[in-house]
Amino acid sequence: MASYVFYPGNGSQTDWAVPFPYLSADHVKVYSGGVAQPFAWINSALLRVTPAVPAGTVLLVKRETQKTPMTVFENTNNLTAENLTLAETQALFIAEEAADRANMSIALDEATGHFDFNSRRATNAADPVNAQDLVTKQWAETAQSAQLAQAIAARDVTISARDAAISKAADAAADAADARSSATAAATDRATVAADKATVAADRVTVANYRNDTAADRVATAADRVATGQDRAAVAADRATVAADKTTVANDKATVAADKAAAQAARVAAEAARDEAEAIVGIPTAAGTTFTPTATNPNTNVQDAVAAAVVKTGHQTLTGGFDAQSYYVVMNGGTFTPDPKNGNIQHVSNDGTHTIVPPATPCTIVLQYTNTAPVGPVGLTASGFSKVTGASYDVTAGVGHILYITRTHSWAHLHIVPVFR
């Protein structure tokens, strides 16, 4: 028979059975949480522990027989059956308790050579030091949290690099569209110049006809010169008309030359813009959407070029950087939701008490917050953030702060730093 019993506490039970025999009531001990507990005997097989043992706590009732002999034999004066039985029972109880203590300890499995915890937990262990030390639950959770924080930081850096590359690709696509517009305008100018040339050619034919008419008039005038002076006047008028026509043709030629120079300059500018766009995204082949690969860009369209430029996996090295345009916001009440599409650097004029909430998508945004209300204090209330750290927001007019916001998949963090007062 076991010399101990475990009872789970429930917060209400106070009376507990003693299911094992004992030689003396003093040999029965009660422990809770490893600490000896006082108790009272109700009868020889039932004891009471007050207050009740809390739920989640184990009560241990055990027998601890004294190790010193409870009877001493002197010659044969007290060599009675009762004393012999007492000595035998004491030895038996001590042996049983020793066996129970062994069963309650960590045992070595002779079949495997390994220690067997017998489905029990090990408690009150220190943190590991050497490579083969066992790991505690607290130490493992702390190490896992540190690795998770490093992974989140690396992911945020990759997302920022991806957003910057997408923005650069969008700028390149816009430049390509501008180049195509310039090329279209140059083609239109060339068509206009061609039409002007046709007009000038027609004018030249008209002038030639005028000259032919003038020659005929001269013949008629020579024939009629003696007869009438009016024919001379007509010829003079024709000559004046021809002179005017010549002036018009000269002006048209000057206009055509100027138009040609302007068209040539526009064509040169368009070709330069086209060459710059082709160096970035390739050579367009149809409708401005499909691109022929170049020596430095082996992709076939803008989307592939962007995909090739964006780092999709970790363990890469990014070089270079970008200037940031700070997005400006004026808040004089209501709710402010920072949007990463306006840029990761923004500045806010706090003209009235309002509420700031986390961005709707994962990002990192830095806000310059300046209290600009001309009269009285202005307030700022943070709502919806998983954690707010740093200093308290100073509502005094003219005071400036920097607010650091990080929004991940599930959490949002706001950190407040006063800059000047």
Side-chain angles (χ1 to χ4, degrees):
M1 175 180 292
S3 62
Y4 67 94
V5 62
F6 286 105
Y7 292 115
N10 56 17
S12 60
Q13 183 174 349
T14 58
D15 295 348
W16 309 93
V18 181
F20 47 77
Y22 52 87
L23 294 176
S24 171
D26 294 337
H27 296 170
V28 178
K29 308 294 181 181
V30 177
Y31 298 91
S32 177
V35 179
Q37 301 294 319
F39 64 91
W41 287 98
I42 298 176
N43 56 50
S44 61
L46 189 66
L47 55 80
R48 176 170 295 166
V49 177
T50 54
V53 179
T57 302
V58 175
L59 184 73
L60 171 62
V61 179
K62 64 182 297 188
R63 183 184 67 216
E64 296 180 357
T65 304
Q66 69 181 61
K67 304 302 185 293
T68 58
M70 298 180 65
T71 181
V72 178
F73 299 103
E74 296 180 358
N75 298 324
T76 59
N77 295 334
N78 58 351
L79 191 60
T80 64
E82 180 181 359
N83 286 342
L84 289 173
T85 300
L86 175 61
E88 179 185 19
T89 303
Q90 181 183 10
L92 177 62
F93 282 2
I94 292 173
E96 287 178 348
E97 292 162 10
D100 289 339
R101 281 194 297 272
N103 290 334
M104 294 170 64
S105 303
I106 301 175
L108 183 66
D109 189 336
E110 295 180 358
T112 63
H114 300 156
F115 286 104
D116 185 359
F117 281 79
N118 197 21
S119 300
R120 293 185 176 89
R121 292 185 297 117
T123 60
N124 299 323
D127 287 341
V129 175
N130 297 321
Q132 297 302 116
D133 289 353
L134 296 180
V135 174
T136 63
K137 179 175 179 291
Q138 178 182 356
W139 187 91
E141 290 177 345
T142 301
Q144 184 180 17
S145 298
Q147 293 175 352
L148 177 61
Q150 292 176 358
I152 291 174
R155 184 199 64 183
D156 291 343
V157 171
T158 301
I159 290 174
S160 297
R162 179 203 64 190
D163 293 342
I166 290 174
S167 175
K168 189 65 176 179
D171 292 342
D175 291 341
D178 291 341
R180 290 194 297 272
S181 297
S182 298
T184 300
T188 301
D189 291 341
R190 287 195 294 271
T192 301
V193 170
D196 291 341
K197 287 181 178 180
T199 300
V200 169
D203 290 341
R204 287 177 177 174
V205 172
T206 300
V207 169
N209 292 332
Y210 286 158
R211 288 178 177 175
N212 292 332
D213 291 342
T214 300
D217 290 340
R218 285 177 178 177
V219 173
T221 298
D224 296 338
R225 183 176 297 174
V226 177
T228 179
Q230 294 179 350
D231 290 339
R232 290 181 178 178
V235 170
D238 289 340
R239 287 178 177 175
T241 299
V242 170
D245 290 339
K246 287 182 178 180
T247 300
T248 300
V249 169
N251 291 336
D252 289 341
K253 287 181 177 180
T255 300
V256 168
D259 291 340
K260 180 185 288 187
Q264 181 66 20
R267 186 188 71 179
V268 171
E271 287 176 350
R274 179 199 63 195
D275 293 340
E276 182 179 357
E278 289 175 355
I280 296 174
V281 297
I283 303 174
T285 58
T289 58
T290 302
F291 295 83
T292 300
T294 64
T296 58
N297 181 15
N299 301 286
T300 57
N301 53 50
V302 174
Q303 182 177 0
D304 291 342
V306 173
V310 175
V311 177
K312 297 181 178 179
T313 60
H315 307 292
Q316 302 292 325
T317 299
L318 299 179
T319 60
F322 305 92
D323 293 331
Q325 180 80 32
S326 181
Y327 179 75
Y328 180 53
V329 183
V330 177
M331 293 300 300
N332 54 16
T335 300
F336 176 39
T337 305
D339 189 347
K341 295 184 181 64
N342 294 327
N344 300 101
I345 305 295
Q346 303 180 21
H347 59 288
V348 181
S349 292
N350 188 353
D351 287 357
T353 299
H354 61 279
T355 300
I356 185 170
V357 298
T361 58
C363 63
T364 295
I365 299 179
V366 180
L367 299 174
Q368 173 185 307
Y369 244 84
T370 306
N371 299 338
T372 57
V375 179
V378 290
L380 179 67
T381 300
S383 177
F385 288 91
S386 306
K387 191 173 186 65
V388 178
T389 60
S392 299
Y393 189 87
D394 191 338
V395 301
T396 307
V399 172
H401 305 75
I402 292 182
L403 276 60
Y404 299 90
I405 296 177
T406 299
R407 167 66 190 267
T408 64
H409 174 71
S410 302
W411 303 311
H413 176 211
L414 170 62
H415 186 71
I416 303 174
V417 179
V419 177
F420 68 88
R421 289 183 169 86

